[in-house]
């Protein structure tokens, strides 16, 4: 199966989203903000080819090359293209995102060795923050906010109050199943007043997606609370669970990975405590009919 071509969507004259269908594994969204004199890029892409296509899409709008790149978290589909934009652009992220990006290295190649990543240079952030910061993109204020431990320990969202647009990173998967093996069941995007939400994966959406995500988080917690005391493994719990309203979402196999995190929290481990990802990916492959989930990067 070949993914559809990425496309650029103008959300305002100074805000664009870059969407990579179908939003599945390693097909992330990006975006850029600028007033014609300065450009901020939100996230990059998983391969050199896709990162170059993103750079060409920015240039095609007449925007200058990015001066800032904000990484919403450390996963390679959002960060592997950093080296293509650096050093001309300063890379900005939460401090924990920088640490995890450098520690993880080129780990996507371990999960999907058949992908042609091209010339990828792992590049951590040049500037980091811990709670929130504001980047001044010409006349635009872009607020970079840490929502707490959620998709990962080092998440950021980029909030544009002048346009009521939120780049949510992987706290939101529109049409796809949330994934928080490396984070926590907590984390919230409430209180910002967004009207338009650019998810980390999937189509541009609206704030109702927060409700759908939170319903799923509660659902996972309830499944864990039911099966964990019975001694069922995450895989046994996932196999016994009716997904109900969430059955139509892509990547339904992520339920078992999310249960690995939920079980860890029930065992008293702190939010975001490191977990060995291999058992979770093994269980996802089992749920996926015995085959590793596919990456279209």
């Amino acid at each position: 199966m070949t993914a559809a071509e990425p496309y650029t969507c103008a959300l305002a004259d100074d805000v664009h989203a870059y969407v990579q269908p179908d939003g599945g594994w390693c097909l992330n969204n990006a975006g850029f903000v600028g007033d014609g004199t300065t450009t901020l890029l939100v996230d990059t892409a998983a391969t050199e080819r896709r990162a170059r296509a993103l750079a060409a899409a920015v240039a095609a709008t007449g925007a200058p090359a990015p001066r800032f790149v904000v990484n919403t978290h450390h996963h390679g589909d959002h960060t592997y293209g950093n080296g293509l934009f650096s050093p001309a652009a300063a890379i900005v992220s939460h401090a924990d995102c920088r640490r995890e990006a450098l520690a993880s290295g080129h780990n996507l190649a371990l999960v999907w060795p058949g992908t042609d990543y091209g010339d990828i240079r792992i590049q951590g952030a040049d500037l980091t923050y811990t709670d929130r910061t504001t980047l001044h993109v010409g006349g635009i204020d872009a607020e970079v906010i840490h929502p707490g431990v959620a998709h990962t320990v080092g998440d950021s969202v980029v909030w544009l109050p002048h346009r009521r647009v939120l780049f949510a990173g992987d706290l939101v998967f529109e049409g796809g199943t949330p994934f928080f093996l490396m984070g926590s069941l907590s984390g919230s995007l409430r209180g910002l007043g967004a009207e338009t939400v650019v998810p980390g994966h999937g189509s541009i959406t609206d704030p109702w997606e927060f409700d759908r995500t939170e319903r799923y988080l509660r659902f996972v917690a309830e499944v864990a609370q039911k099966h964990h005391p019975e001694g069922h493994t995450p895989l046994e719990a996932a196999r016994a669970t009716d997904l109900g309203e969430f059955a139509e979402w892509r990547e339904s196999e992520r339920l078992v990975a999310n249960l690995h995190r939920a079980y860890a929290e029930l065992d008293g481990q702190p939010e975001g405590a490191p977990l060995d990802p291999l058992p979770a990916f093994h269980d996802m492959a089992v749920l996926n009919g015995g085959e590793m989930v596919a990456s279209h990067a």
Side-chain angles (χ1 to χ4, degrees):
M1 177 180 176
T2 302
E5 288 300 310
Y7 61 90
T8 302
C9 180
L11 305 180
D13 57 2
D14 52 7
V15 183
H16 293 76
Y18 183 79
V19 180
Q20 297 197 96
D22 63 352
W25 288 99
C26 295
L27 286 178
N28 67 299
N29 295 334
F32 49 101
V33 184
D35 66 350
T37 63
T38 305
T39 304
L40 178 154
L41 178 66
V42 182
D43 284 330
T44 60
T47 67
E48 178 187 4
R49 176 179 66 86
R50 288 186 174 275
R52 291 192 181 280
L54 170 59
V58 175
T61 67
R67 180 180 174 189
F68 303 105
V69 175
V70 175
N71 291 151
T72 59
H73 60 287
H74 72 276
H75 291 160
D77 49 339
H78 297 257
T79 62
Y80 279 1
N82 283 358
L84 181 66
F85 297 94
S86 174
I91 312 298
V92 181
S93 79
H94 189 272
D96 289 339
C97 171
R98 181 183 194 277
R99 183 195 69 232
E100 294 296 323
L102 295 175
S104 299
H106 204 337
N107 63 355
L108 288 188
L110 301 177
V111 182
W112 294 288
T115 297
D116 180 7
Y117 293 96
D119 184 12
I120 291 298
R121 173 170 55 89
I122 303 300
Q123 173 73 49
D126 303 296
L127 302 171
T128 62
Y129 77 101
T130 54
D131 181 30
R132 63 192 300 154
T133 190
T134 301
L135 299 177
H136 303 285
V137 186
I140 302 167
D141 290 345
E143 299 180 12
V144 185
I145 303 167
H146 176 53
V149 179
H151 178 63
T152 70
V153 294
D155 293 316
S156 295
V157 299
V158 179
W159 168 231
L160 305 174
H162 78 300
R163 297 297 189 194
R164 319 307 291 175
V165 172
L166 180 73
F167 287 90
D170 282 6
L171 272 73
V172 175
F173 288 81
E174 192 283 325
T177 303
F179 185 62
F180 43 88
L181 173 66
M182 301 173 191
S184 171
L185 276 70
S186 66
S188 175
L189 295 176
R190 299 290 177 183
L192 291 175
E195 295 176 358
T196 303
V197 177
V198 181
H201 296 254
S203 301
I204 297 163
T205 186
D206 56 46
W208 286 108
E209 201 65 40
F210 305 158
D211 295 310
R212 292 185 280 267
T213 298
E214 289 176 6
R215 284 202 307 275
Y216 179 79
L217 296 179
R218 290 194 296 270
F219 169 76
V220 173
E222 290 167 1
V223 172
Q225 289 159 6
K226 173 182 177 182
H227 289 276
H228 182 271
E230 300 296 325
H232 300 157
T233 67
L235 181 57
E236 290 168 339
R239 281 176 156 168
T241 297
D242 180 353
L243 288 170
E245 68 172 298
F246 310 113
E248 299 300 316
W249 287 358
R250 298 182 313 270
E251 301 89 45
S252 61
E253 70 279 347
R254 289 177 179 165
L255 171 63
V256 71
N258 294 332
L259 286 170
H260 275 265
R261 171 56 59 187
Y263 272 38
E265 294 187 4
L266 288 173
D267 287 335
Q269 294 195 41
E271 295 179 346
L275 300 181
D276 182 355
L278 294 182
F281 272 87
H282 171 270
D283 286 353
M284 283 193 289
V286 172
L287 285 186
N288 195 46
E291 297 182 359
M292 177 53 68
V293 293
S295 165
H296 296 149

